[in-house]
Amino acid sequence: MPNLEYPGFTGLSDQVLFRAASTTEKTTHQPRAVIIYGWGDALAKHVVKYADGFQQLFPSANQIVVLSPISRAMWQSSEKRAEHMAHVVKAAFPSEDANTHDEGSVLIHMMSNTGAIFYTSTLHAYRAAYNKPLPHRLVVLDSTPGSTDISLATLPRLSRAMTLGTAAWFPWPFLVTQCLWATFLAGNHLLEIITGRDSAPVTSLKTFQNADMEEKSAKRFYLYSKEDQIIFWSDIEKHIAESREQGWQTDAVIFEGSGHVGHMRLHPEKYWNNIKLAWVEASTEKNDT
């Protein structure tokens, strides 16, 4: 059904929105689809602002917006998350378009670790549908990935991220909610150690670094800042180095003064210009190979 709150969008599920291209006129260096994964518990009205920015850059691209509730990322099984992401696969890769020349003309944009969890769940959903890696030319990593370790160093940042999305649910002070989440995360981590089960962030990172799931021909473009209080810049730079060592092509832009997933709001011109340039470079390099 059309989403009256966000004109032009159709709700494919309670987590996935679709908007058709604003023009049928094809121009050079335009993706045919842009898939946007919001950060943890981000409201649709905030994630849609990114969709509007992409519509200005690439008006001939269909758009899929994915909301990223932390509760589903934390407590749903990987199989259930992939089942929910089947809506994304059907919208971005309709069966009649399979194996066409522009099938891989897709731009992925994911924000924070929770957005990354649902992106990698989409990789599993695509593999289940077509038995091959999801084709795309560029994946933009905004403020992700961070460390998957639960320790005294990372627990304050992770519990703060959880609290930011849920503080409004409770009548007590922010710090109380953060302490409750820190206790939960520590207990959940202990349970994972006992059972030998990987957490959702660990599973997500393993999937993203698996060439059978994530195409090595796709470029990785990292956007981050040293002022991010949730995802440390050093963790992102470590991931960039590891990706390069493993054969992925990477590029990055550092922003000054912006916090977690705050780069677009503080530096809109730099943000969108660099994404457009990264797409042109990625699509040109793909066509040259």
Side-chain angles (χ1 to χ4, degrees), residues 37-40 66-68 73 109-122 144 204:
Y37 295 83
W39 61 99
V66 182
L67 304 180
S68 302
H109 188 90
M110 59 180 175
M111 292 175 272
S112 194
N113 280 3
T114 314
I117 287 170
F118 287 104
Y119 168 56
T120 53
S121 297
T122 308
T144 189
S204 174

Side-chain angles (χ1 to χ4, degrees), residues 18-242:
F18 174 83
R19 179 163 64 181
S22 60
T23 178
T24 57
E25 181 181 349
K26 300 295 182 180
T27 57
T28 57
H29 300 309
Q30 293 266 319
R32 67 171 187 81
V34 175
I35 310 175
I36 306 164
Y37 295 83
W39 61 99
D41 286 334
L43 298 176
K45 65 180 181 180
H46 298 312
V47 184
V48 163
K49 292 178 182 178
Y50 287 82
D52 291 340
F54 275 111
Q55 190 176 62
Q56 292 294 317
L57 287 185
F58 308 121
S60 62
N62 291 333
Q63 296 185 332
I64 299 97
V65 170
V66 182
L67 304 180
S68 302
I70 292 176
S71 59
R72 291 186 181 180
M74 288 287 296
W75 293 304
Q76 279 189 340
S77 66
S78 57
E79 293 79 12
K80 193 66 176 179
R81 288 195 299 271
E83 182 181 321
H84 283 295
M85 293 302 99
H87 294 287
V88 179
V89 173
K90 291 177 182 178
F93 303 94
S95 57
E96 61 268 23
D97 289 344
N99 299 316
T100 61
H101 72 282
D102 65 342
E103 180 192 19
S105 183
V106 174
L107 188 156
I108 307 293
H109 188 90
M110 59 180 175
M111 292 175 272
S112 194
N113 280 3
T114 314
I117 287 170
F118 287 104
Y119 168 56
T120 53
S121 297
T122 308
L123 296 181
H124 284 285
Y126 188 91
R127 167 63 75 174
Y130 295 109
N131 196 30
K132 62 180 182 179
L134 183 150
H136 59 290
R137 294 182 185 163
L138 178 69
V139 54
V140 180
L141 298 94
D142 184 331
S143 306
T144 189
S147 173
T148 58
D149 296 332
I150 300 294
S151 65
L152 291 177
T154 61
L155 197 57
R157 291 185 282 124
L158 296 174
S159 60
R160 174 177 171 79
M162 301 284 285
T163 307
L164 288 171
T166 59
W169 301 355
F170 307 109
W172 47 71
F174 185 97
L175 184 59
V176 174
T177 305
Q178 185 173 0
C179 290
L180 290 173
W181 276 122
T183 301
F184 166 78
L185 289 170
N188 190 63
H189 179 59
L190 180 60
L191 181 62
E192 289 166 353
I193 293 174
I194 295 172
T195 60
R197 176 175 59 88
D198 284 338
S199 66
V202 170
T203 300
S204 174
L205 193 57
K206 286 182 177 179
T207 300
F208 193 61
Q209 297 297 80
N210 183 348
D212 290 332
M213 302 297 295
E214 172 72 7
E215 282 201 329
K216 282 199 172 180
S217 61
K219 184 175 184 177
R220 297 181 170 185
F221 188 45
Y222 299 79
L223 307 176
Y224 65 102
S225 77
K226 294 188 176 183
E227 288 76 22
D228 191 331
Q229 295 183 350
I230 293 176
I231 302 294
F232 277 3
W233 61 271
S234 54
D235 291 332
I236 293 177
E237 292 191 349
K238 179 182 178 182
H239 190 267
I240 293 172
E242 290 174 349

